[in-house]
Amino acid sequence: MWFSKVPGYVFDKQKTPYLTKAKDLTLAQSQYELVAYGIFVGSLFGIIALAATLTFFDTNNIIYLLWLVASLGVIGSIFGVVRKNDLISSYLISFGPSIIIGISFYEALIAKASILPLTIFVCLFMLSVKYGWRVIKIVGWQKYNENNEINNNKNKAWGQ
């Protein structure tokens, strides 16, 4: 089954060294990490888009249409990050999960949830913000290295 291959991919030190600083990752390692994060975020927002679409057809409430558009925007941003190292797209996919967790925390507060779910939401929120910042750093380093490589190739072409 495909699930049995997940630990081998996630804990592979060559492909995905998650405890390595963003600037110390190779291009291949950073791409593997961005693709893995993109799959996670894309799955999350794909489910949200599907739920929003089905609920919009049932209720015709405009808020669900906005959720659908926002989810499709985040999913489109994943391709911008993986294919083009777009920094603005990295902000969208980095803070998308944090927004979802924040909304869930707010809903739990309104429902007067116990301290355990609220604590879990706070921990998930902090984790998602921290990892989102890592994704932004990775994309920033890729963009920086890409620009340096282009400039170095120009200088070599001109004999400088």
Side-chain angles (χ1 to χ4, degrees):
M1 312 274 215
W2 69 271
F3 192 73
S4 64
K5 296 181 183 190
V6 170
Y9 178 78
V10 170
F11 300 112
D12 187 353
K13 291 190 184 294
Q14 292 296 86
K15 292 183 178 177
T16 52
Y18 288 108
L19 299 177
T20 305
K21 290 182 180 179
K23 65 180 180 178
D24 296 334
L25 294 172
T26 65
L27 181 61
Q29 289 170 335
S30 62
Q31 278 301 109
Y32 278 120
E33 191 164 339
L34 289 176
V35 167
Y37 185 73
I39 290 170
F40 167 71
V41 171
S43 300
L44 175 69
F45 279 93
I47 292 168
I48 291 170
L50 179 63
T53 303
L54 296 175
T55 307
F56 175 73
F57 287 145
D58 284 345
T59 64
N60 288 331
N61 191 344
I62 196 75
I63 192 73
Y64 297 110
L65 191 59
L66 294 174
W67 273 106
L68 173 64
V69 170
S71 297
L72 293 177
V74 171
I75 291 170
S77 296
I78 293 168
F79 293 104
V81 167
V82 172
R83 297 278 183 193
K84 298 179 184 173
N85 296 330
D86 186 31
L87 199 55
I88 294 173
S89 295
S90 73
Y91 291 127
L92 288 173
I93 70 167
S94 295
F95 295 119
S98 302
I99 292 169
I100 299 299
I101 294 169
I103 291 170
S104 299
F105 177 77
Y106 176 74
E107 292 292 329
L109 273 178
I110 289 175
K112 297 186 187 327
S114 67
I115 193 73
L116 180 64
L118 295 176
T119 305
I120 291 171
F121 280 131
V122 168
C123 292
L124 285 173
F125 182 79
M126 291 188 307
L127 182 66
S128 67
V129 168
K130 183 171 175 34
Y131 196 75
W133 184 246
R134 177 178 170 80
V135 169
I136 292 170
K137 283 183 187 178
I138 289 171
V139 173
W141 273 105
Q142 281 187 350
K143 197 74 163 167
Y144 174 76
N145 289 335
E146 178 182 289
N147 289 340
N148 278 345
E149 187 175 311
I150 291 170
N151 290 337
N152 288 340
N153 288 340
K154 282 183 186 176
N155 289 341
K156 287 177 185 176
W158 287 97
Q160 296 176 349

